[in-house]
Amino acid sequence: MKFSKDIIRSNPEYEADLVRDFLSAQVKGVPKRDGIIVGVSGGVDSAVVASLAVRAVGKENVLGLILPEKESNPISAEYAMKVINSLGIEHIKVELTESVASFDAYKNRDKVIKEIFPDYTPEYKFNIYLPQNLLDVDRYNFYTLRVDDGKGNIREKRLTKKQLLAITAAANVKIRSRMIALYYWGEQENYLVAGTTNKTEFILGDYCKFGDGGTDVECVSHLYKTNIYELAEYLEVPKEIRERTPSPDTFSLPVSDTDFYFCLPFNILDPLLYAWQYNISAAETASALDLGEDQVKRAFRDFQSKHASTEHIRVLPASIERDWTQFVNKKPF
């Protein structure tokens, strides 16, 4: 098949039936489950998964969890309820602030930010982001901290590795707290925990190990983000959710997935990612997408870097018997 910008387009009806049948089979597997639980974030991915779960096992056997904490965007819970009401499923709202605070995640993170901006207080808003000139400039993925004091003063400073790790570790506590809540309620109800990670996120590593990557099944990880939007329209996900800018919703100052990690809009990112994944040449890719060959090569280098640096979250923990060459080569069988 000749490469083109439309090569990743899917058949939403086929994909909806495929995921429905997959989820149904997983619920009936070993151990047999009584239903499906989904963390409903107010974003398009979880809305699609919740909709497909209803198709698989019926609305009476799907439970939606809304999982806010004190820094979540309030619109997330509002949109999550729109999904839940449109599907007619049961829901539980679990406030995660105390869970996150019990690890001193807020306190330790704020201490790091205060070292950078001494006047910082928890009332300020902040996020982190990557430079967005991915296609046009050879650059490294250094994160920048952005702080808003609420009075129109926004300041920014590039983070050191240690500072970045402290801030992202705190954000990951939030994500892992969501996973704990999903399994707590899922195990009580004997429900399957359905993940919402899409293929774009999976390949490039934009998810948290033992967080949103901690699930029983990943039913849309074969679909690029572009395909998620196609499915959302087919499934009649509420329009405002389909049009909402995707966000990790882990920082007090909203930041898009593009600014935080991907550095490209999905209509450009996904065809480029397909080309990189299936070894389409930079020249052919550039011609099909109306980009410069150097631009494509920059994107490919970025994909390779992100994929390699996040490989550990896609695989089982390393073990001596399976992974350590010195041991494997000495096995007597």
Side-chain angles (χ1 to χ4, degrees):
M1 181 183 296
K2 183 176 175 60
F3 177 75
S4 74
K5 64 181 179 181
D6 295 323
I7 198 166
I8 61 170
R9 295 207 173 275
S10 64
N11 179 333
E13 182 178 4
Y14 169 82
E15 294 296 347
D17 290 347
L18 178 69
V19 176
R20 176 201 63 200
D21 293 346
F22 170 75
L23 286 173
S24 178
Q26 294 301 307
V27 168
K28 295 173 183 175
V30 179
K32 186 178 182 300
R33 306 300 178 93
D34 297 324
I36 299 172
I37 187 169
V38 182
V40 185
S41 68
V44 68
D45 299 288
S46 64
V48 164
V49 171
S51 300
L52 294 171
V54 168
R55 288 184 168 221
V57 298
K59 65 181 182 180
E60 66 278 6
N61 298 311
V62 176
L63 177 62
L65 254 60
I66 303 176
L67 302 165
E69 46 84 30
K70 68 178 184 179
E71 294 176 338
S72 299
N73 189 335
I75 200 70
S76 296
E78 179 183 330
Y79 280 7
M81 281 305 306
K82 286 182 182 291
V83 173
I84 287 164
N85 290 334
S86 70
L87 295 175
I89 62 175
E90 294 293 324
H91 80 281
I92 298 171
K93 185 176 182 180
V94 182
E95 170 58 57
L96 298 177
T97 299
E98 287 188 10
S99 174
V100 177
S102 71
F103 291 93
D104 288 335
Y106 299 118
K107 182 176 73 174
N108 291 336
R109 179 207 64 199
D110 287 351
K111 181 180 178 181
V112 171
I113 298 176
K114 195 170 181 64
E115 290 172 355
I116 301 169
F117 296 114
D119 63 322
Y120 173 84
T121 72
E123 286 68 42
Y124 287 18
K125 306 290 187 183
F126 84 95
N127 64 33
I128 61 175
Y129 69 93
L130 287 173
Q132 297 300 297
N133 53 352
L134 172 60
L135 296 185
D136 300 320
V137 179
D138 294 324
R139 54 12 108 78
Y140 294 102
N141 282 329
F142 290 117
Y143 273 94
T144 294
L145 171 69
R146 178 189 288 129
V147 169
D148 183 348
D149 67 1
K151 300 176 182 177
N153 300 311
I154 297 177
R155 288 168 292 168
E156 300 181 344
K157 188 169 183 180
R158 200 174 85 179
L159 294 169
T160 66
K161 179 181 178 180
K162 187 174 182 179
Q163 291 166 342
L164 173 65
L165 291 175
I167 291 171
T168 55
N172 286 341
V173 169
K174 300 180 181 185
I175 300 170
R176 291 182 175 121
S177 294
R178 298 170 189 166
M179 182 273 291
I180 292 170
L182 284 164
Y183 271 97
Y184 173 73
W185 288 101
E187 289 180 1
Q188 283 199 73
E189 301 295 331
N190 193 35
Y191 276 14
L192 196 77
V193 177
T196 63
T197 300
N198 60 61
K199 188 173 187 176
T200 308
E201 295 166 336
F202 183 78
I203 293 175
L204 295 179
D206 184 32
Y207 63 101
C208 174
K209 190 168 189 176
F210 306 125
D212 42 1
T215 63
D216 291 321
V217 292
E218 291 291 352
C219 59
V220 294
S221 60
H222 65 298
L223 298 171
Y224 296 99
K225 186 75 170 190
T226 300
N227 307 135
I228 298 295
Y229 283 113
E230 293 167 346
L231 257 181
E233 184 174 4
Y234 172 75
L235 295 168
E236 298 182 342
V237 168
K239 184 179 180 181
E240 56 265 54
I241 295 170
R242 287 186 275 127
E243 294 180 349
R244 184 186 183 191
T245 300
S247 167
D249 202 16
T250 49
F251 305 106
S252 55
L253 185 64
V255 62
S256 70
D257 284 350
T258 299
D259 287 347
F260 172 67
Y261 194 76
F262 293 117
C263 306
L264 290 171
F266 292 110
N267 65 321
I268 297 174
L269 171 64
D270 284 343
L272 280 168
L273 186 57
Y274 178 99
W276 174 77
Q277 185 183 6
Y278 292 103
N279 297 313
I280 309 298
S281 71
E284 183 179 353
T285 303
S287 176
L289 301 182
D290 196 25
L291 294 171
E293 192 169 337
D294 285 344
Q295 291 179 306
V296 172
K297 288 179 179 178
R298 290 187 185 103
F300 284 1
R301 286 195 294 269
D302 184 72
F303 299 161
Q304 178 60 40
S305 174
K306 287 174 177 171
H307 182 78
S309 65
T310 58
E311 181 62 20
H312 66 286
I313 71 176
R314 284 181 292 272
V315 298
L316 291 171
S319 69
I320 288 178
E321 186 172 22
R322 187 181 63 250
D323 300 297
W324 200 31
T325 305
Q326 291 93 320
F327 177 82
V328 173
N329 290 343
K330 293 179 181 179
K331 289 172 68 173
F333 49 85

